[in-house]
Amino acid sequence: MHTCGSEHLTSHNPHATTKVIGAYFKDRYPEGRDPSTKDLKNSICIEFGCKVSYWKVWMGSEIAKFLVRGTHEHGYGVIDAYSHMLRTSNPGNKTALKIDENGRFKYFFVAYGAWILGFAQMRKIIAVDGTILRSKYGGVLLSAIAQDTENHIFSVAFGVVDSECDVSYRYFFEQLRSFVLDTPELCIISDRHQSIRKMVSIVFPSAHYGCCMRHLGENIRNNFHNASVVYHFYKAAKAYNIDVFSDHFNRIRDLVPQAATHLERVGFHRWSRAFFPENKYNIMTTNIAESVNSMFLDEREYLITALFDAIKKRFAEKFHERRMKFINAPTIFVPSIEKDIAKNINLGNKLLVHQTANCKYIVTGQDEVATVDLLAKSCTCKVFDIDKVPCPHAMAAFRCQYGDKYGRHIYEYSFSYYNLEVYLIAYVEEIKPMPSEETWEVPIEILERKISSPFVEPNKIGRRS
């Protein structure tokens, strides 16, 4: 029997208050996925043999969440102290908090020191995306995500803003700019959100901006309903050289001229791999950022401090897991790149090579002719140029240049970021746990600073449909 004062929930008393039902459900909300309202309603029916309305069960579940995690109002109220403790528990963390003129919460930004140090070892490509928070105060969780050389998600920064607009994205990118250098090497990829594109041009004027090819492909599919156009679109997007790109793009123009016009209008040529090989490698979509959104699907309902605790815990586990996985690996490069090198060596052994000049070769095989320049680390197939790993043509050229023992020279011509030692350096910094709220040591001026919850229209507060 579960009691709360003189009230209790039994088979003889199905009219218990939502407060009592919330106390009964309290143990059903550990970390992880929340039970559905339907399951909770069925559990009462099975255990007590009585029926309770769906609405009362839902209200009880909300109370149970507050008992376990605290209220959203409390989360916003302690956010300044939480930010202070993040910086104290993990020196090197970057946090930023902004409130409006009425003392209400507006923006919050977090980048752990481990993420900042690790991103220095990453390919300078960031996917940016936003996902709606599901609390009664709404808001949007913004994420900046990179990808390590084993194609794993690597978080760079997270932020909570009121909406996806110019002002909020400018704030997010300005905070990101404090540790991400604005250089031509940097590429920022997103969906076709105009605010992202606009603010990237303002805050990161030297960086390249690219549109997610999957979003653009879905746009083509939905607008023109032609599978052949979509096929040639993806072939053009992934083409390594301009001739292949032009061939597929012309096929699009022949099939549906309006589709080609649309792609030209949104700047498809600027984002495709054939025209933009310098620093995109093989990353052309925002899938990595969207994968992070799905990782925290349930946590988007948490109060803001619990949300960032969940983010911290998840990536602390990932850092440890990846660090330990390869710490004693016997390879020079990360395993996925070693596989690519082995595959390209086998393919290169089947090709014929003719030297035309110092470090320049003509390579033929399978009705294909390619020109390799080892000094420039370039091949006309463009795989060497873009992926930064010697292609089969380059492997054949190495064999001619260095003889049978050319294997050790392959790593000299490959991208240094693929080195296993560099990979481990990216994960060497530990994300330390933060103490419980009861033990926080916070300056008095921060404790006295009152921060209210964001303003929302009264008619928007209540049960989600």
Side-chain angles (χ1 to χ4, degrees), residues 215-319:
H215 282 87
L216 195 54
E218 289 301 313
N219 182 270
I220 293 294
R221 185 191 308 276
N222 294 334
N223 287 342
F224 301 102
H225 308 287
N226 189 307
S228 295
V229 168
V230 176
Y231 169 81
H232 289 293
F233 162 79
Y234 281 112
K235 285 294 185 179
K238 297 176 182 179
Y240 279 94
N241 62 67
I242 295 174
D243 291 337
V244 176
F245 173 91
S246 299
D247 180 56
H248 287 286
F249 193 79
N250 288 334
R251 293 294 300 274
I252 295 173
R253 193 185 303 279
D254 293 339
L255 289 166
V256 182
Q258 298 91 332
T261 302
H262 173 74
L263 290 173
E264 288 174 339
R265 187 171 62 251
V266 299
F268 178 45
H269 289 72
R270 293 196 306 272
W271 305 327
S272 63
R273 185 154 51 187
F275 285 86
F276 181 27
E278 291 85 2
N279 55 350
K280 287 183 75 169
Y281 310 95
N282 59 349
I283 304 173
M284 302 182 69
T285 72
T286 58
N287 288 352
I288 50 177
E290 292 173 10
S291 296
V292 169
N293 292 343
S294 63
M295 284 172 61
F296 301 107
L297 188 64
D298 297 305
E299 289 81 353
R300 287 185 292 163
E301 193 173 323
Y302 291 8
L303 63 156
I304 188 168
T305 52
L307 169 62
F308 280 94
D309 279 341
I311 291 172
K312 175 179 63 65
K313 181 179 179 182
R314 183 72 60 88
F315 282 104
E317 293 171 352
K318 293 294 183 184
F319 265 53

Side-chain angles (χ1 to χ4, degrees), residues 427-440:
Y427 290 102
V428 71
E429 188 75 12
E430 182 183 359
I431 301 177
K432 299 176 183 177
M434 198 169 74
S436 61
E437 186 176 337
E438 296 79 15
T439 62
W440 288 359

